[in-house]
Amino acid sequence: MASQAIGDALALGILEGLTEFIPVSSTGHLLLAGHFLGFESTGKAFEVLIQLGAILAILSVYFSRLLKILFDLPSDPRARRFVMGVLVAFLPAAVIGALAHDFIKNVLFETPKLICIMLILGGVVLLWVDRWALTPKYRSIMDFPLPVCLGIGLFQCLAMIPGTSRSGATIVGSMLLGADKRSSAEFSFFLAMPTMLGAFVFDLLKNRDLLSASDVPVIATGFVAAFIVAVIVVRYLLDYVSRHGYALFAWWRLIVGVVGLAALIAWG
């Protein structure tokens, strides 16, 4: 039984690393896969806690750039505006996530059909935005004005409905607010750091009395798998979307959503 849980955690960790930073909803994929695998995590904490592996993946890939921004803060107005922009974009999700945490975890996370529907709707929206001939105003994340960052943060709040996708919501929001495809994905990376770290800490505190030593190997397995796979995805995603856009991910969402909905209707 323990070996099955470790095997499930390994598979789900790989899935988390693969899907966290592409606009297909990692949480939606994890919850659907866990549903069909029969995988039950304590307090639904596994799906949130293994995201720390994905956070560390961004930090490892962007470490030198983050260090440069940190050193430039005292003297570079663009660096200060960028850091402030990320914090401004983070605030809406921090407030709404804290207020609605129990409803999200106990109701929305337990509704697989809703996840499938949101995957399908999000795929349609992503395909529409990707094909829309938008004229970008911003090609560098260092140039995003604060009102644009706030707007992206409000879009991110949509991702509290599992199946929507945090990266998908922020990427679509960024593009609609004037960013090009590459900078939209890159800002989503940076915004993920405080957002996912905040969710990790908050969920850990909420579930600290429920988690036991037996949960540690399962969470650790998912964490390591998520980190390794996410590093690979982060390194290659920006170049891919610069050349090919987001259509592949839109179709991915549509296929997973339709197949998942059909499976739920057929087998529950």
Side-chain angles (χ1 to χ4, degrees):
M1 193 72 176
S3 61
Q4 180 181 347
I6 293 293
D8 289 346
L10 177 62
L12 293 172
I14 292 171
L15 187 61
E16 160 65 22
L18 183 63
T19 58
E20 180 58 53
F21 300 111
I22 62 177
V24 298
S25 180
S26 62
T27 303
H29 278 69
L30 288 177
L31 292 173
L32 282 178
H35 175 81
F36 289 115
L37 287 172
F39 178 84
E40 288 288 339
S41 66
T42 304
K44 291 293 182 184
F46 175 87
E47 292 81 358
V48 175
L49 297 183
I50 65 169
Q51 290 181 347
L52 182 61
I55 299 170
L56 294 181
I58 305 178
L59 290 174
S60 68
V61 172
Y62 280 96
F63 181 75
S64 59
R65 187 165 178 186
L66 287 167
L67 204 59
K68 183 179 185 307
I69 291 171
L70 181 63
F71 285 141
D72 288 346
L73 279 176
S75 59
D76 187 353
R78 292 178 79 226
R80 290 196 296 270
R81 182 177 62 188
F82 170 70
V83 172
M84 183 60 68
V86 172
L87 294 176
V88 165
F90 162 67
L91 281 176
V95 173
I96 297 175
L99 293 175
H101 176 270
D102 291 344
F103 176 75
I104 294 167
K105 294 294 290 290
N106 298 327
V107 178
L108 298 183
F109 271 38
E110 300 290 347
T111 315
K113 286 183 181 178
L114 173 64
I115 296 170
C116 292
I117 291 169
M118 294 309 298
L119 283 169
I120 294 168
L121 292 177
V124 172
V125 171
L126 189 60
L127 198 61
W128 170 66
V129 172
D130 188 65
R131 292 182 175 182
W132 192 8
L134 296 167
T135 303
K137 300 176 185 176
Y138 314 108
R139 298 184 181 277
S140 170
I141 57 175
M142 304 300 289
D143 296 329
F144 284 16
L146 292 183
V148 168
C149 296
L150 178 60
I152 296 169
L154 293 173
F155 270 96
Q156 179 172 243
C157 293
L158 296 173
M160 292 177 192
I161 305 172
T164 302
S165 170
R166 187 205 60 79
S167 59
T170 54
I171 286 169
V172 167
S174 297
M175 291 172 63
L176 291 176
L177 291 169
D180 70 347
K181 292 177 181 179
R182 183 186 180 92
S183 64
S184 295
E186 193 169 30
F187 191 82
S188 180
F189 289 168
F190 281 95
L191 181 54
M193 295 182 207
T195 302
M196 292 163 60
L197 183 59
F200 173 87
V201 172
F202 191 80
D203 210 84
L204 186 61
L205 291 174
K206 292 281 285 187
N207 289 285
R208 66 186 183 278
D209 295 330
L210 299 176
L211 296 171
S212 65
S214 62
D215 294 308
V216 174
V218 175
I219 293 172
T221 300
F223 166 86
V224 173
F227 170 78
I228 293 171
V229 177
V231 166
I232 298 170
V233 172
V234 171
R235 287 189 180 279
Y236 293 102
L237 181 62
L238 291 181
D239 288 338
Y240 177 86
V241 299
S242 296
R243 294 194 302 268
H244 305 291
Y246 295 101
L248 173 65
F249 308 121
W251 287 111
W252 177 340
R253 292 179 64 108
L254 290 169
I255 292 170
V256 172
V258 169
V259 171
L261 196 59
L264 287 170
I265 292 171
W267 298 297

